[in-house]
Amino acid sequence: MSRILSNTRGRSYSRLCPVQGPEAGDPPQKRFSGVVPPPALIFLALLFSTGAIVWLDHKENLPILLLHPREVTADETPPPDEPSDICKNQRRPPAGSEALPRGIVQDKSNFEFESLGPNPERKEAPPAKSLLAIPVGIKQKAVVDKLVSKFPAANFTVMLFHYDGAVDGWSDLPWSRRAVHVAAADQTKWWFGKRFLHPDLVAEYDYVFLWDDDIEVDGFDPLRYLEIVRKEGLEISQPALDSRSKIHHRLTVRARRGGAVHRRFYKTAGGGRCYGNSTGPPCTGWVEMMVPVFSRAAWQCAWRMIQNDLVFAWGLDYKLGYCAQGDRKMNVGIVDREYVLHRGIPTLGDAGAGKTATAARRSAVRQRSYTEMQIFNRRWKEAVAEDECWTDPYPEPATATTKD
């Protein structure tokens, strides 16, 4: 045991000194007091008892302390999350980019041309634009020229899908150099759309116009059209067809009376009747496939429904309402105030062969289209049956068979 000794100047210092215990000849009182005096023994006993009580009380209150953690006051800042917690809460990175730092990943693109000169980070933010994509053949050059010229360059990016491969024949048109040209012989609009209009490539465009090349636009203004679409809340739409057009479904014919848009069609006689209580295509919630216009969100859905091997997309039109971002009876419509003329000229299957060969090829195209529709409908039914987590928002019969 060490004792604390004082030096001559009043400063204390520590020194190891042996403690002198009682000697054999000392009386009992001296031997006892030399080890621990009685007052000190009483003090230690009291201290031991008090400490035990305090310790027991602390142990009994420990669960209460755990159930009621100290609250953080307004003047205090909670500690930041650990790096591991931050990483756990991050959105999963796009597939293939897991090896990269998140900030360098760009999973979206567009079809805008880039200058080869100035600093790309100093350019101004581009204005909002939409995309006009058309499958074209050189025989429809004059019609397409007139169509594209209606779409202002400041508001629309143009993309041409050359199904006859004749790209050079368009170079003399003033807008040709600002258009994106893609060539693949004898392929359809939906073949091109599935392969070159992935949602990540068109994510910057407000609307996607996916039109045929036999459309006349004398009564059509694209900017006024989009004003109506936005005002009416249409996610999937088409301009109405002039009555002189090649008509397949009466719903798409321009209504000369009424407002800027119509959303349903009435037919009370003959086959395929449509009444006021009809809830689905082709009575309501439906557009044809020659001049559809998709919002960004609707195209993200529709692109994923296009089957990679079903290039004519027959049957797809009856399911587009599922991509309307809500009630298809309200979010799908025909714009009457801006209308077009559908010439209905068959193009695919005509490769410059004789009349007999051309007729045979067109017949094969039509048969392929019917076959694709049957395949698509079968795949839809199988997908619905297999997906136990999916609920059909339109479970009732789409078309009413009786009047209200």
Side-chain angles (χ1 to χ4, degrees), residues 151-179:
F151 288 74
N155 305 96
F156 292 91
T157 294
V158 177
M159 192 171 193
L160 300 186
F161 301 133
H162 298 271
Y163 55 76
D164 60 358
V167 179
D168 294 339
W170 300 79
S171 60
D172 60 321
L173 299 177
W175 48 263
S176 180
R177 286 183 59 82
R178 66 177 175 88

CSV table of all heavy atoms in Angstrom, one decimal, residues 151-179:
chain,number,residue,atom,x,y,z
A,151,PHE,N,-44.7,20.6,-89.1
A,151,PHE,CA,-44.2,20.5,-87.7
A,151,PHE,C,-43.0,21.4,-87.5
A,151,PHE,O,-42.0,21.1,-88.1
A,151,PHE,CB,-43.9,19.0,-87.4
A,151,PHE,CG,-45.1,18.1,-87.3
A,151,PHE,CD1,-45.8,17.7,-88.4
A,151,PHE,CD2,-45.5,17.6,-86.0
A,151,PHE,CE1,-46.9,16.9,-88.3
A,151,PHE,CE2,-46.6,16.8,-85.9
A,151,PHE,CZ,-47.3,16.4,-87.0
A,152,PRO,N,-43.2,22.4,-86.7
A,152,PRO,CA,-42.0,23.4,-86.5
A,152,PRO,C,-40.8,22.7,-86.0
A,152,PRO,O,-40.9,21.9,-85.0
A,152,PRO,CB,-42.6,24.4,-85.5
A,152,PRO,CG,-44.1,24.3,-85.6
A,152,PRO,CD,-44.3,22.8,-86.0
A,153,ALA,N,-39.6,23.1,-86.5
A,153,ALA,CA,-38.4,22.5,-86.1
A,153,ALA,C,-38.1,22.8,-84.6
A,153,ALA,O,-37.4,22.0,-83.9
A,153,ALA,CB,-37.2,23.0,-86.9
A,154,ALA,N,-38.5,23.9,-84.1
A,154,ALA,CA,-38.3,24.3,-82.7
A,154,ALA,C,-39.0,23.5,-81.7
A,154,ALA,O,-38.7,23.4,-80.5
A,154,ALA,CB,-38.6,25.8,-82.5
A,155,ASN,N,-40.1,22.8,-82.2
A,155,ASN,CA,-41.0,22.1,-81.3
A,155,ASN,C,-41.0,20.6,-81.5
A,155,ASN,O,-41.5,19.8,-80.7
A,155,ASN,CB,-42.4,22.6,-81.4
A,155,ASN,CG,-42.5,24.1,-81.2
A,155,ASN,OD1,-42.5,24.8,-82.1
A,155,ASN,ND2,-42.6,24.5,-79.9
A,156,PHE,N,-40.4,20.1,-82.7
A,156,PHE,CA,-40.5,18.7,-83.0
A,156,PHE,C,-39.2,18.2,-83.6
A,156,PHE,O,-38.5,18.9,-84.4
A,156,PHE,CB,-41.6,18.5,-84.0
A,156,PHE,CG,-43.0,18.7,-83.5
A,156,PHE,CD1,-43.6,20.0,-83.6
A,156,PHE,CD2,-43.7,17.7,-82.9
A,156,PHE,CE1,-44.8,20.2,-83.1
A,156,PHE,CE2,-45.0,17.9,-82.4
A,156,PHE,CZ,-45.6,19.2,-82.5
A,157,THR,N,-38.8,17.0,-83.1
A,157,THR,CA,-37.7,16.3,-83.8
A,157,THR,C,-38.3,15.3,-84.7
A,157,THR,O,-39.3,14.6,-84.4
A,157,THR,CB,-36.9,15.6,-82.7
A,157,THR,OG1,-36.2,16.5,-81.9
A,157,THR,CG2,-35.8,14.7,-83.3
A,158,VAL,N,-37.7,15.1,-85.9
A,158,VAL,CA,-38.3,14.2,-86.9
A,158,VAL,C,-37.4,13.0,-87.1
A,158,VAL,O,-36.1,13.1,-87.1
A,158,VAL,CB,-38.4,15.0,-88.3
A,158,VAL,CG1,-38.9,14.1,-89.4
A,158,VAL,CG2,-39.3,16.2,-88.1
A,159,MET,N,-38.0,11.9,-87.2
A,159,MET,CA,-37.3,10.6,-87.4
A,159,MET,C,-38.0,9.8,-88.5
A,159,MET,O,-39.2,9.6,-88.5
A,159,MET,CB,-37.3,9.8,-86.1
A,159,MET,CG,-36.4,8.6,-86.2
A,159,MET,SD,-36.2,7.9,-84.5
A,159,MET,CE,-34.8,6.8,-84.7
A,160,LEU,N,-37.3,9.5,-89.6
A,160,LEU,CA,-37.8,8.7,-90.7
A,160,LEU,C,-37.3,7.3,-90.7
A,160,LEU,O,-36.1,7.0,-90.6
A,160,LEU,CB,-37.5,9.4,-92.0
A,160,LEU,CG,-37.9,10.8,-92.2
A,160,LEU,CD1,-37.6,11.3,-93.7
A,160,LEU,CD2,-39.4,11.0,-92.0
A,161,PHE,N,-38.3,6.3,-90.8
A,161,PHE,CA,-38.0,4.9,-90.9
A,161,PHE,C,-38.1,4.5,-92.4
A,161,PHE,O,-39.3,4.4,-92.9
A,161,PHE,CB,-38.9,4.1,-90.0
A,161,PHE,CG,-38.8,4.4,-88.6
A,161,PHE,CD1,-40.0,4.6,-87.8
A,161,PHE,CD2,-37.6,4.6,-87.9
A,161,PHE,CE1,-39.9,4.9,-86.5
A,161,PHE,CE2,-37.5,4.9,-86.6
A,161,PHE,CZ,-38.7,5.0,-85.9
A,162,HIS,N,-37.0,4.3,-93.1
A,162,HIS,CA,-37.1,4.0,-94.5
A,162,HIS,C,-37.3,2.5,-94.7
A,162,HIS,O,-36.3,1.7,-94.7
A,162,HIS,CB,-35.8,4.5,-95.2
A,162,HIS,CG,-35.6,6.0,-95.1
A,162,HIS,ND1,-36.1,6.9,-96.0
A,162,HIS,CD2,-34.9,6.7,-94.1
A,162,HIS,CE1,-35.8,8.1,-95.7
A,162,HIS,NE2,-35.1,8.0,-94.5
A,163,TYR,N,-38.5,2.1,-95.0
A,163,TYR,CA,-38.8,0.7,-95.2
A,163,TYR,C,-38.4,0.2,-96.6
A,163,TYR,O,-38.5,-1.0,-96.9
A,163,TYR,CB,-40.3,0.4,-95.0
A,163,TYR,CG,-41.3,1.2,-95.7
A,163,TYR,CD1,-41.5,0.9,-97.1
A,163,TYR,CD2,-42.0,2.2,-95.1
A,163,TYR,CE1,-42.5,1.7,-97.8
A,163,TYR,CE2,-42.9,3.0,-95.8
A,163,TYR,CZ,-43.2,2.7,-97.2
A,163,TYR,OH,-44.1,3.4,-97.9
A,164,ASP,N,-38.0,1.2,-97.5
A,164,ASP,CA,-37.5,0.7,-98.9
A,164,ASP,C,-36.0,1.0,-99.0
A,164,ASP,O,-35.5,0.7,-100.1
A,164,ASP,CB,-38.3,1.5,-100.0
A,164,ASP,CG,-38.2,3.0,-99.9
A,164,ASP,OD1,-37.5,3.5,-98.9
A,164,ASP,OD2,-38.7,3.7,-100.7
A,165,GLY,N,-35.4,1.5,-98.0
A,165,GLY,CA,-33.9,1.7,-98.0
A,165,GLY,C,-33.5,2.9,-98.8
A,165,GLY,O,-32.3,3.1,-98.9
A,166,ALA,N,-34.4,3.6,-99.4
A,166,ALA,CA,-34.0,4.8,-100.3
A,166,ALA,C,-33.8,6.0,-99.5
A,166,ALA,O,-34.6,7.0,-99.5
A,166,ALA,CB,-35.0,5.0,-101.3
A,167,VAL,N,-32.7,6.1,-98.7
A,167,VAL,CA,-32.4,7.2,-97.9
A,167,VAL,C,-31.9,8.4,-98.7
A,167,VAL,O,-32.3,9.6,-98.4
A,167,VAL,CB,-31.3,6.9,-96.8
A,167,VAL,CG1,-31.0,8.1,-95.9
A,167,VAL,CG2,-31.8,5.7,-96.0
A,168,ASP,N,-31.1,8.2,-99.7
A,168,ASP,CA,-30.5,9.3,-100.4
A,168,ASP,C,-31.5,10.1,-101.2
A,168,ASP,O,-31.3,11.3,-101.5
A,168,ASP,CB,-29.4,8.8,-101.4
A,168,ASP,CG,-28.2,8.2,-100.6
A,168,ASP,OD1,-28.0,8.6,-99.5
A,168,ASP,OD2,-27.5,7.4,-101.2
A,169,GLY,N,-32.6,9.5,-101.5
A,169,GLY,CA,-33.6,10.2,-102.3
A,169,GLY,C,-34.3,11.4,-101.6
A,169,GLY,O,-35.1,12.1,-102.2
A,170,TRP,N,-34.0,11.5,-100.3
A,170,TRP,CA,-34.7,12.5,-99.5
A,170,TRP,C,-33.7,13.7,-99.2
A,170,TRP,O,-34.2,14.7,-98.5
A,170,TRP,CB,-35.2,12.0,-98.1
A,170,TRP,CG,-36.2,10.9,-98.3
A,170,TRP,CD1,-35.9,9.6,-98.6
A,170,TRP,CD2,-37.6,11.0,-98.1
A,170,TRP,NE1,-37.1,8.8,-98.7
A,170,TRP,CE2,-38.1,9.7,-98.4
A,170,TRP,CE3,-38.4,12.0,-97.8
A,170,TRP,CZ2,-39.5,9.4,-98.3
A,170,TRP,CZ3,-39.8,11.7,-97.7
A,170,TRP,CH2,-40.3,10.4,-98.0
A,171,SER,N,-32.5,13.6,-99.6
A,171,SER,CA,-31.5,14.6,-99.2
A,171,SER,C,-31.8,16.0,-99.8
A,171,SER,O,-31.2,17.0,-99.2
A,171,SER,CB,-30.1,14.2,-99.6
A,171,SER,OG,-30.1,14.0,-101.0
A,172,ASP,N,-32.6,16.2,-100.8
A,172,ASP,CA,-32.8,17.5,-101.4
A,172,ASP,C,-33.9,18.3,-100.6
A,172,ASP,O,-34.1,19.5,-100.9
A,172,ASP,CB,-33.3,17.3,-102.8
A,172,ASP,CG,-34.5,16.5,-103.0
A,172,ASP,OD1,-34.7,15.5,-102.2
A,172,ASP,OD2,-35.4,16.8,-103.8
A,173,LEU,N,-34.6,17.7,-99.7
A,173,LEU,CA,-35.6,18.4,-98.9
A,173,LEU,C,-34.9,19.2,-97.8
A,173,LEU,O,-34.0,18.8,-97.2
A,173,LEU,CB,-36.6,17.4,-98.3
A,173,LEU,CG,-37.4,16.5,-99.3
A,173,LEU,CD1,-38.3,15.6,-98.6
A,173,LEU,CD2,-38.2,17.4,-100.2
A,174,PRO,N,-35.4,20.5,-97.6
A,174,PRO,CA,-34.7,21.4,-96.7
A,174,PRO,C,-34.7,20.9,-95.3
A,174,PRO,O,-33.7,21.3,-94.5
A,174,PRO,CB,-35.6,22.7,-96.8
A,174,PRO,CG,-36.9,22.2,-97.3
A,174,PRO,CD,-36.6,21.1,-98.2
A,175,TRP,N,-35.6,20.1,-94.8
A,175,TRP,CA,-35.6,19.6,-93.4
A,175,TRP,C,-34.9,18.3,-93.3
A,175,TRP,O,-34.7,17.7,-92.2
A,175,TRP,CB,-37.0,19.4,-92.9
A,175,TRP,CG,-37.9,18.7,-93.8
A,175,TRP,CD1,-38.8,19.2,-94.7
A,175,TRP,CD2,-38.0,17.3,-94.0
A,175,TRP,NE1,-39.5,18.3,-95.4
A,175,TRP,CE2,-39.0,17.0,-95.0
A,175,TRP,CE3,-37.4,16.2,-93.4
A,175,TRP,CZ2,-39.4,15.7,-95.4
A,175,TRP,CZ3,-37.8,14.9,-93.8
A,175,TRP,CH2,-38.7,14.7,-94.8
A,176,SER,N,-34.4,17.7,-94.4
A,176,SER,CA,-33.8,16.3,-94.3
A,176,SER,C,-32.6,16.2,-93.4
A,176,SER,O,-32.4,15.2,-92.7
A,176,SER,CB,-33.5,15.8,-95.7
A,176,SER,OG,-33.0,14.5,-95.7
A,177,ARG,N,-31.8,17.3,-93.4
A,177,ARG,CA,-30.5,17.2,-92.7
A,177,ARG,C,-30.7,17.2,-91.2
A,177,ARG,O,-29.9,16.8,-90.4
A,177,ARG,CB,-29.6,18.3,-93.1
A,177,ARG,CG,-28.9,18.1,-94.5
A,177,ARG,CD,-28.0,19.2,-94.8
A,177,ARG,NE,-26.9,19.4,-93.8
A,177,ARG,CZ,-25.8,18.6,-93.8
A,177,ARG,NH1,-25.6,17.7,-94.7
A,177,ARG,NH2,-24.9,18.8,-92.9
A,178,ARG,N,-31.9,17.8,-90.7
A,178,ARG,CA,-32.1,17.8,-89.3
A,178,ARG,C,-32.9,16.6,-88.9
A,178,ARG,O,-33.2,16.4,-87.7
A,178,ARG,CB,-32.9,19.1,-88.9
A,178,ARG,CG,-34.3,19.2,-89.5
A,178,ARG,CD,-35.0,20.5,-88.9
A,178,ARG,NE,-36.3,20.7,-89.5
A,178,ARG,CZ,-37.4,20.2,-89.1
A,178,ARG,NH1,-37.4,19.4,-88.0
A,178,ARG,NH2,-38.6,20.5,-89.7
A,179,ALA,N,-33.3,15.7,-89.8
A,179,ALA,CA,-34.1,14.5,-89.4
A,179,ALA,C,-33.1,13.3,-89.2
A,179,ALA,O,-32.0,13.3,-89.7
A,179,ALA,CB,-35.0,14.1,-90.6
